Amino acid sequence: MNLSEKLADYIYQTQYENLPKEVVEFTKLCILDYFGSAIAGSTKEPIKKMEALVNEMGGSPQASLITGGKSSVMQAALLNGASSHMVEQDDIHKASIIHAATVVIPAALAVSEWKKLTGKELITAVIVGYEVCYRIGEAVTPSHYYYWHNTATCGTFGAAAAVAKLLNLNKEQIVHALGSAGTQAAGLWEFIEDGAMSKQLHPGKAAMNGVISALLAEKDFTAATKILEGKRGFFEAMSETYDISKVTEGLGATYKIMENSFKVHASCRHTHHAMDLMIEVSKKADISTSDIEEIAVKTYQVAIDITDNDNPQTEYAAKFSLQYCTALAFVKGEGGLHAFNEDNLWSQEIRDLLKRVKVEVADDIQEAYPEKWGAKVEIRLKNDEIIAVETDFPKGDPENPVTKADLLDKFHRLASPWSEMDRDSLAGKIMELESQSNLNELFARTEAITTGNHS
């Protein structure tokens, strides 16, 4: 069998009844975490612009929008995927560099609601979607990541896999769904040069394209059967180097979703290692910004490629500035959603400190990437004392985990636009997702909560 056929066999064979309990419980936390990010993002300007487009285009009221109301399945996947990527608090997988929740979950939710499927079916689809996109992402990382946003490109395969599972496609149809997903895979990093809104478009469009791919396959619409390894396929066209074995090694025997990381800080994950360390220093060392001569942040090359910005001009650009995030974490002692604001962006104390932050690649950390997203921070004081701290794993990695209580607290903070009662209601439903027999009813309730239309 070729790679698409092997993935199709895995997708087709996976059944809820065979899933370990701990995997099911963890998947519900991923879905909860998705909703926190999606709700927090739903009020932001780029999402409001996309909402206006969705409303302008119209569409059958098939699936709930995180902003309120309903639209077509495809447009719900588009908007809800974009919204969950807005505030930089969505989950991440180290080895593949993919935010799977932003593409897999909105695609699966829209179809589940439309088809009135069960919570068990949704959980199974999410697990399958994460597995597929993480494996493809691992195969092309890190070379693919320089130009391409893995969440958008590899994530499209995950969304297609999840929806294919929900639609109960046969193996041949699943192969074609993956083929259509791969031929639509896109998402370039050039937007970061302008601080543009494309980053939100990426996961939204990937979720939408996954839905399109599976729905077409259901109608026996054909696509490339070797979209991954073919001579003009995904691997050859979009990566300098790749490892095919990553796609199938241990397939069906492990659960990649269990390797998922959750974000504590509201910034690019490549800044989190330094932020954790600076927060640690701020709490333990009796020093102020005026005591600091220079801060050296030593990390891996990709972190430098994405976040080397010593003069961010917007709140969003600040989330992708390693220098700014390092200074912010020390001055404020945290880096949550509300730490990124206009006052902090132009804070003289933070601005003065970030000018003293130098970033560079450390060979040993580079060698360990992407299995470890590490950093060393050396703070040289004006009295020539040096404070040195380091980490291999940012907070939220499986090796440095957050708890269920942490994630529930994060959800409530992110979903603060909703009332406490509404948040409790949604969280309770998600934590009992396997008992839900009709997701049309579950997410109709979500729509009512969002719009404030309580019965």
Side-chain angles (χ1 to χ4, degrees), residues 127-441:
I127 290 169
V128 163
Y130 272 60
E131 190 80 21
V132 168
C133 69
Y134 282 170
R135 287 178 170 277
I136 293 171
E138 284 188 45
V140 296
T141 298
S143 70
H144 179 78
Y145 190 66
Y146 184 78
Y147 292 108
W148 301 99
H149 188 191
N150 291 19
T151 298
T153 55
C154 306
T156 306
F157 291 102
V163 177
K165 185 64 180 175
L166 291 168
L167 296 177
N168 197 28
L169 301 188
N170 63 40
K171 294 180 185 179
E172 183 179 0
Q173 289 171 324
I174 297 172
V175 168
H176 292 305
L178 295 174
S180 288
T183 206
Q184 296 179 86
L188 291 164
W189 274 112
E190 182 62 21
F191 75 85
I192 205 168
E193 301 297 329
D194 307 292
M197 297 177 182
S198 305
K199 195 167 193 282
Q200 284 68 61
L201 181 63
H202 287 179
K205 195 58 166 53
M208 183 181 187
N209 288 345
V211 171
I212 291 170
S213 299
L215 288 175
L216 285 173
E218 186 181 36
K219 293 173 171 51
D220 296 321
F221 185 93
T222 63
T225 57
K226 293 184 179 180
I227 194 64
L228 294 172
E229 75 273 35
K231 64 182 180 180
R232 285 176 286 190
F234 182 76
F235 291 161
E236 282 291 316
M238 299 170 74
S239 303
E240 289 185 10
T241 59
Y242 54 88
D243 184 352
I244 286 178
S245 70
K246 297 286 188 181
V247 179
T248 56
E249 184 179 357
L251 181 63
T254 60
Y255 296 92
K256 286 287 181 183
I257 196 169
M258 300 300 289
E259 300 172 5
N260 209 36
S261 298
F262 297 101
K263 293 175 75 173
V264 175
H265 310 303
S267 58
C268 176
R269 184 62 170 180
H270 298 302
T271 68
H272 286 205
H273 42 33
M275 295 179 77
D276 287 345
L277 295 173
M278 294 304 293
I279 291 170
E280 176 188 334
V281 171
S282 74
K283 291 178 178 179
K284 293 181 178 180
D286 185 20
I287 58 172
S288 66
T289 54
S290 61
D291 298 319
I292 297 173
E293 181 71 28
E294 184 177 273
I295 301 172
V297 179
K298 302 177 181 181
T299 186
Y300 47 91
Q301 184 65 56
V302 165
I304 306 296
D305 291 341
I306 301 298
T307 65
D308 182 7
N309 179 358
D310 62 5
N311 189 25
Q313 296 296 299
T314 66
E315 289 178 42
Y316 195 69
K319 292 171 179 278
F320 287 83
S321 166
L322 183 52
Q323 293 91 330
Y324 177 86
C325 289
T326 299
L328 172 74
F330 180 79
V331 173
K332 296 298 178 180
E334 59 110 2
L337 180 62
H338 300 296
F340 288 88
N341 57 54
E342 282 293 313
D343 287 343
N344 287 342
L345 176 63
W346 301 110
S347 161
Q348 196 60 53
E349 184 178 15
I350 294 173
R351 285 280 165 177
D352 288 344
L353 184 59
L354 80 80
K355 293 174 183 177
R356 287 171 264 164
V357 178
K358 310 300 178 186
V359 299
E360 60 184 278
V361 174
D363 290 341
D364 57 333
I365 297 176
Q366 172 64 23
E367 195 172 312
Y369 178 81
E371 286 73 21
K372 298 177 180 180
W373 290 27
K376 299 176 184 176
V377 172
E378 295 177 357
I379 303 170
R380 181 161 58 86
L381 305 181
K382 290 180 178 177
N383 64 5
D384 287 332
E385 178 187 350
I386 293 178
I387 300 173
V389 286
E390 61 182 285
T391 185
D392 287 330
F393 304 105
K395 185 68 175 176
D397 275 5
E399 300 86 353
N400 186 11
V402 291
T403 65
K404 178 180 177 180
D406 291 332
L407 291 174
L408 282 166
D409 179 65
K410 176 186 174 184
F411 166 77
H412 279 283
R413 283 185 284 107
L414 290 179
S416 60
W418 293 8
S419 71
E420 183 178 359
M421 181 181 69
D422 293 339
R423 299 194 304 268
D424 285 340
S425 175
L426 178 57
K429 295 288 186 181
I430 294 170
M431 290 298 96
E432 298 175 358
L433 193 57
E434 70 272 30
S435 67
Q436 305 300 323
S437 60
N438 184 338
L439 295 187
N440 176 263
E441 296 176 1

